[in-house]
Amino acid sequence: MSSNPRHILSISGGKDSTALAIFMKQNYPEIEMEYVFCDTGEELPETYEYLEKIETYLGKKVTHLRSDLSWDEWLEKFSGYLPSARSRWCTSNLKIIPFEKFVGDSEVISYIGIRADENREGYISTKTNITARYPFKEHGINKEDVMQILHDSGLGVPAYYEWRTRSGCYFCFFQRKYEWLGLKERHPELFEKAKKYETINADGSAQNFTWVQNTTLDEIVKYPEKIRKNHKKFETRVKEKKKKSSTRLLDVFSDELDFEDALSMEDDSEGCLVCHI
Ligand code: SF4
């Protein structure tokens, strides 16, 4: 590692990477940080608005990194085959490669917002000139601390947190039923756009080219009351569990934390470590 590496913090538009940017500015003001956002061009409007607020707070530009090809051009290259958890061609082509191009051959310390209460590593580059650093792990910062950092900064959580907790593309296949319903209700035009990418049989059943295996978006949101009822049930269970546990609970953000935990009960997959941190 050179004695004068570049310092790069990749902001996903999610709560953890945003809190990390705030934390680094407050605790390591001497570090000349470069902020980047790997932009697929298909992010939520709330994410772009949140990024503007982050820039104002940091007093620095967040550089948007884009692939040479658009989402639609990549999809064409993959013969219309939508990405999935098992075949995640979108993350590598629209996020990782643009990031690695931006880094080039420079020696870089890449700051990653994985928290102390998480047992995962995030995006580890295979490039030997990129070294990962985990300040939240070094400082024992957990989920409640992250919420506190966001609250104290005045930034709070991104607006999409009212109906979904993960950052990333509006059509991300990692979304849970409640989040697909949220997309339909908050951004009906984006929901319709997501639907257009699906290839379905004449009788409306799913083919191989759908966001969720063996079903269509219309099927997923067919019974909105049932989805809402299930979500409420999960939230009540989370609240009851927390009442019994002795962990410290941040009153000011308990609703957001309950919401996130309730969504995890529907589907506890971690999502994408590059897109959703
Ligand atoms: S947010 Fe989801 S769809 Fe978008 S690049 Fe990441 S994994 Fe792919």
Side-chain angles (χ1 to χ4, degrees):
M1 171 71 56
S2 94
S3 57
N4 195 18
R6 286 166 70 192
H7 300 266
I8 303 182
L9 199 158
S10 179
I11 297 174
S12 72
K15 70 177 191 329
D16 293 331
S17 57
T18 305
L20 182 61
I22 299 165
F23 179 85
M24 292 306 292
K25 179 179 159 76
Q26 289 173 345
N27 293 281
Y28 297 92
E30 70 284 3
I31 292 180
E32 193 52 47
M33 195 69 83
E34 294 175 56
Y35 302 100
V36 299
F37 171 64
C38 297
D39 188 352
T40 62
E42 305 294 336
E43 315 285 331
L44 287 165
E46 291 97 321
T47 303
Y48 292 116
E49 283 158 23
Y50 195 50
L51 283 165
E52 281 177 24
K53 286 194 198 166
I54 296 170
E55 283 183 335
T56 306
Y57 177 87
L58 297 172
K60 248 183 161 173
K61 199 97 200 107
V62 176
T63 306
H64 287 228
L65 307 179
R66 286 199 175 209
S67 162
D68 296 339
L69 298 184
S70 70
W71 162 265
D72 283 344
E73 286 166 330
W74 276 114
L75 186 60
E76 216 181 304
K77 265 187 173 279
F78 282 85
S79 312
Y81 194 88
L82 294 173
S84 65
R86 283 170 61 192
S87 171
R88 212 180 309 163
W89 55 257
C90 48
T91 315
S92 46
N93 289 303
L94 288 137
K95 300 233 168 191
I96 294 177
I97 292 172
F99 178 78
E100 292 185 343
K101 269 193 183 166
F102 176 75
V103 165
D105 294 327
S106 325
E107 289 286 339
V108 158
I109 299 181
S110 169
Y111 293 82
I112 298 171
I114 303 270
R115 306 182 310 263
D117 56 328
E118 292 180 293
N119 191 17
R120 49 185 192 154
E121 286 187 317
Y123 152 67
I124 305 283
S125 176
T126 47
K127 291 188 77 163
T128 50
N129 54 322
I130 302 179
T131 306
R133 195 174 154 190
Y134 301 91
F136 283 166
K137 282 195 178 288
E138 290 165 22
H139 290 265
I141 304 283
N142 64 20
K143 196 193 267 187
E144 290 185 6
D145 298 322
V146 158
M147 292 305 219
Q148 188 75 60
I149 291 169
L150 292 172
H151 177 255
D152 293 349
S153 71
L155 280 173
V157 289
Y160 61 70
Y161 234 77
E162 288 173 17
W163 55 280
R164 114 180 200 170
T165 57
R166 291 173 181 157
S167 50
C169 305
Y170 68 85
F171 47 53
C172 184
F173 47 85
F174 279 114
Q175 284 177 96
R176 277 75 61 114
K177 276 187 190 164
Y178 188 81
E179 296 172 316
W180 282 115
L181 180 63
L183 181 69
K184 183 174 191 276
E185 292 177 341
R186 307 282 174 141
H187 299 290
E189 70 299 344
L190 293 181
F191 185 79
E192 289 305 312
K193 236 176 125 185
K195 264 171 60 180
K196 285 210 176 94
Y197 287 111
E198 295 194 314
T199 315
I200 52 175
N201 295 318
D203 64 358
S205 62
Q207 263 182 5
N208 287 339
F209 298 71
T210 49
W211 292 109
V212 181
Q213 214 183 359
N214 299 327
T215 188
T216 64
L217 291 188
D218 272 338
E219 274 298 317
I220 288 171
V221 297
K222 199 168 177 182
Y223 303 106
E225 282 323 312
K226 195 172 159 204
I227 296 174
R228 269 190 275 273
K229 216 167 127 190
N230 272 344
H231 180 72
K232 239 323 16 76
K233 202 169 76 194
F234 288 146
E235 267 192 336
T236 310
R237 268 168 57 190
V238 168
K239 278 194 173 79
E240 279 165 3
K241 211 169 133 199
K242 280 188 182 161
K243 243 191 255 167
K244 281 185 204 152
S245 81
S246 56
T247 54
R248 178 172 69 98
L249 191 60
L250 242 186
D251 288 342
V252 68
F253 271 124
S254 60
D255 283 351
E256 280 86 351
L257 290 169
D258 291 348
F259 176 61
E260 188 168 345
D261 288 345
L263 284 178
S264 309
M265 285 174 102
E266 185 186 317
D267 163 12
D268 64 0
S269 70
E270 281 181 342
C272 173
L273 291 173
V274 176
C275 306
H276 301 146
I277 290 176

